[in-house]
Every structure is written in C-alpha cells, then in structure tokens.
Amino acid sequence: MVERRHFKRIMYQAPATLHQADGSWQTDVRDLSLQGILITRPQEWHPSKDDTYTITFCLHECDIELSMETQLVDNCEDYLRMNIHHIDIDSASHLKRLVELNVGTDELLHRELEHLTDLPNT
C-alpha cells in the first residue's frame, strides 16, 4: 500500500471533548498530525448533516488546552478521522511543538511545515 499522507502522525493519547452545536461528547485522542486528528468514536455520538466539530484537549500534566475546528473525514465503528481546518495561534504553536518533539528530526519537521503552507485553502 502506498503511503499518501504528507504529514507524519504521532501517537498521542489524551481525554478530549468533541463539540458541535447540538451537543458535546467525551472521547479520546488516539493520534494527531499538523493536519488532522484521530479520536475514538463516542458511543452516544451519531453523525449529522453538519460535519464540522470543535475538539478540545489538554496536554499531559499541564493545563494547556488545545482547541481546533475540524471536519469529519471518516466515520467508522470505533474511530472518527478529522481534518483540522482552523486552529488558533496558541494551539497551533503547542501542536507544532508536540509534533516537533515526536518526529525526530528538524528536517522532517520543516518538510511537514512546508506541506502545510502549500495546501490549498478550503
């Protein structure tokens, strides 16, 4: 299978909250990248016509909260795959640092940041 991802996903597990206009659900982050996030599918969650959500979670052992507006890409039995389509500057800085600490090399991080800036706006 050919790898199509431009962004390296890092394993990161943390409790999170999935928000939408009609409610919020407790979930868990499973992995993330500069472009997207994978969360566990809450049992009481059901898809709606509006596929935009906000996900919030705190970094381990601190009170820094990341918040991102996402769009549902894939909905399977156990997981929800989301693209990040908007993230505030503070959350983006923390996400960048988290990825930086986990990708291993500055070269790989800079390549991923270049891919991020080359993406078309949606």
Side-chain angles (χ1 to χ4, degrees):
M1 176 182 242
V2 175
E3 179 65 43
R4 297 181 319 181
R5 290 186 180 128
H6 293 287
F7 297 93
K8 179 159 178 55
R9 299 187 80 76
I10 60 168
M11 300 301 292
Y12 191 80
Q13 297 186 11
T17 305
L18 177 66
H19 306 272
Q20 194 177 47
D22 60 347
S24 63
W25 305 267
Q26 296 305 304
T27 185
D28 293 296
V29 175
R30 301 318 244 164
D31 70 31
L32 49 87
S33 73
L34 294 174
Q35 183 71 26
I37 187 168
L38 176 71
I39 60 173
T40 55
R41 180 180 172 164
Q43 289 184 348
E44 62 281 356
W45 176 87
H46 298 286
S48 69
K49 290 182 181 185
D50 180 8
D51 64 353
T52 58
Y53 297 87
T54 300
I55 299 173
T56 57
F57 64 95
C58 286
L59 296 179
H60 294 294
E61 300 180 11
C62 67
D63 60 354
I64 297 172
E65 183 179 78
L66 275 67
S67 179
M68 54 192 71
E69 294 176 20
T70 63
Q71 185 171 20
L72 181 64
V73 174
D74 188 24
N75 161 21
C76 66
E77 186 175 322
D78 297 322
Y79 300 103
L80 302 177
R81 296 184 200 291
M82 313 286 232
N83 275 345
I84 300 169
H85 70 83
H86 183 306
I87 187 168
D88 65 81
I89 191 72
D90 290 334
S91 293
S93 295
H94 293 299
L95 179 59
K96 175 186 170 275
R97 181 68 178 144
L98 184 62
V99 170
E100 181 179 46
L101 293 171
N102 286 280
V103 295
T105 67
D106 284 343
E107 182 180 327
L108 183 55
L109 176 66
H110 290 294
R111 187 172 47 205
E112 291 203 7
L113 289 172
E114 287 175 11
H115 282 295
L116 185 62
T117 59
D118 290 343
L119 292 175
N121 291 334
T122 54

PDB file of all heavy atoms in Angstrom, residues 44 53 64 75 84 110 117:
ATOM      1  N   GLU A  44     -22.462   7.431  22.305  1.00  0.00           N
ATOM      2  CA  GLU A  44     -23.744   8.123  22.120  1.00  0.00           C
ATOM      3  C   GLU A  44     -23.734   9.113  20.952  1.00  0.00           C
ATOM      4  O   GLU A  44     -24.733   9.772  20.681  1.00  0.00           O
ATOM      5  CB  GLU A  44     -24.164   8.830  23.415  1.00  0.00           C
ATOM      6  CG  GLU A  44     -23.221   9.901  23.895  1.00  0.00           C
ATOM      7  CD  GLU A  44     -21.967   9.411  24.618  1.00  0.00           C
ATOM      8  OE1 GLU A  44     -21.801   8.204  24.859  1.00  0.00           O
ATOM      9  OE2 GLU A  44     -21.122  10.269  24.915  1.00  0.00           O
ATOM     10  N   TYR A  53     -16.817  20.193  13.613  1.00  0.00           N
ATOM     11  CA  TYR A  53     -16.764  19.966  15.050  1.00  0.00           C
ATOM     12  C   TYR A  53     -15.594  20.752  15.630  1.00  0.00           C
ATOM     13  O   TYR A  53     -14.639  21.084  14.920  1.00  0.00           O
ATOM     14  CB  TYR A  53     -16.534  18.480  15.360  1.00  0.00           C
ATOM     15  CG  TYR A  53     -17.644  17.589  14.890  1.00  0.00           C
ATOM     16  CD1 TYR A  53     -17.648  17.082  13.597  1.00  0.00           C
ATOM     17  CD2 TYR A  53     -18.685  17.249  15.734  1.00  0.00           C
ATOM     18  CE1 TYR A  53     -18.672  16.266  13.151  1.00  0.00           C
ATOM     19  CE2 TYR A  53     -19.715  16.430  15.299  1.00  0.00           C
ATOM     20  CZ  TYR A  53     -19.701  15.942  14.006  1.00  0.00           C
ATOM     21  OH  TYR A  53     -20.723  15.138  13.577  1.00  0.00           O
ATOM     22  N   ILE A  64      -2.456  23.344  29.690  1.00  0.00           N
ATOM     23  CA  ILE A  64      -2.504  23.923  28.347  1.00  0.00           C
ATOM     24  C   ILE A  64      -3.550  23.178  27.532  1.00  0.00           C
ATOM     25  O   ILE A  64      -3.461  21.968  27.335  1.00  0.00           O
ATOM     26  CB  ILE A  64      -1.135  23.848  27.648  1.00  0.00           C
ATOM     27  CG1 ILE A  64      -0.103  24.674  28.416  1.00  0.00           C
ATOM     28  CG2 ILE A  64      -1.242  24.291  26.196  1.00  0.00           C
ATOM     29  CD1 ILE A  64       1.314  24.516  27.924  1.00  0.00           C
ATOM     30  N   ASN A  75     -15.860   8.152   9.277  1.00  0.00           N
ATOM     31  CA  ASN A  75     -16.630   7.741  10.429  1.00  0.00           C
ATOM     32  C   ASN A  75     -16.719   6.225  10.379  1.00  0.00           C
ATOM     33  O   ASN A  75     -17.421   5.673   9.542  1.00  0.00           O
ATOM     34  CB  ASN A  75     -18.007   8.409  10.345  1.00  0.00           C
ATOM     35  CG  ASN A  75     -19.046   7.761  11.196  1.00  0.00           C
ATOM     36  OD1 ASN A  75     -18.744   7.058  12.145  1.00  0.00           O
ATOM     37  ND2 ASN A  75     -20.303   7.992  10.845  1.00  0.00           N
ATOM     38  N   ILE A  84      -8.060  19.089  10.404  1.00  0.00           N
ATOM     39  CA  ILE A  84      -8.058  20.367  11.106  1.00  0.00           C
ATOM     40  C   ILE A  84      -8.204  21.453  10.056  1.00  0.00           C
ATOM     41  O   ILE A  84      -7.385  21.556   9.156  1.00  0.00           O
ATOM     42  CB  ILE A  84      -6.754  20.575  11.895  1.00  0.00           C
ATOM     43  CG1 ILE A  84      -6.577  19.468  12.928  1.00  0.00           C
ATOM     44  CG2 ILE A  84      -6.723  21.964  12.543  1.00  0.00           C
ATOM     45  CD1 ILE A  84      -5.203  19.436  13.578  1.00  0.00           C
ATOM     46  N   HIS A 110      10.492  20.501   9.230  1.00  0.00           N
ATOM     47  CA  HIS A 110      10.436  21.598   8.266  1.00  0.00           C
ATOM     48  C   HIS A 110       9.734  21.158   6.975  1.00  0.00           C
ATOM     49  O   HIS A 110       8.991  21.933   6.378  1.00  0.00           O
ATOM     50  CB  HIS A 110      11.833  22.141   7.969  1.00  0.00           C
ATOM     51  CG  HIS A 110      12.418  22.866   9.137  1.00  0.00           C
ATOM     52  ND1 HIS A 110      11.896  24.045   9.614  1.00  0.00           N
ATOM     53  CD2 HIS A 110      13.455  22.560   9.945  1.00  0.00           C
ATOM     54  CE1 HIS A 110      12.593  24.456  10.656  1.00  0.00           C
ATOM     55  NE2 HIS A 110      13.537  23.562  10.887  1.00  0.00           N
ATOM     56  N   THR A 117       1.917  24.693   4.522  1.00  0.00           N
ATOM     57  CA  THR A 117       1.731  26.005   3.892  1.00  0.00           C
ATOM     58  C   THR A 117       1.410  25.881   2.416  1.00  0.00           C
ATOM     59  O   THR A 117       0.881  26.828   1.826  1.00  0.00           O
ATOM     60  CB  THR A 117       2.973  26.902   4.078  1.00  0.00           C
ATOM     61  OG1 THR A 117       4.104  26.253   3.510  1.00  0.00           O
ATOM     62  CG2 THR A 117       3.217  27.191   5.539  1.00  0.00           C
TER      63      THR A 117
END
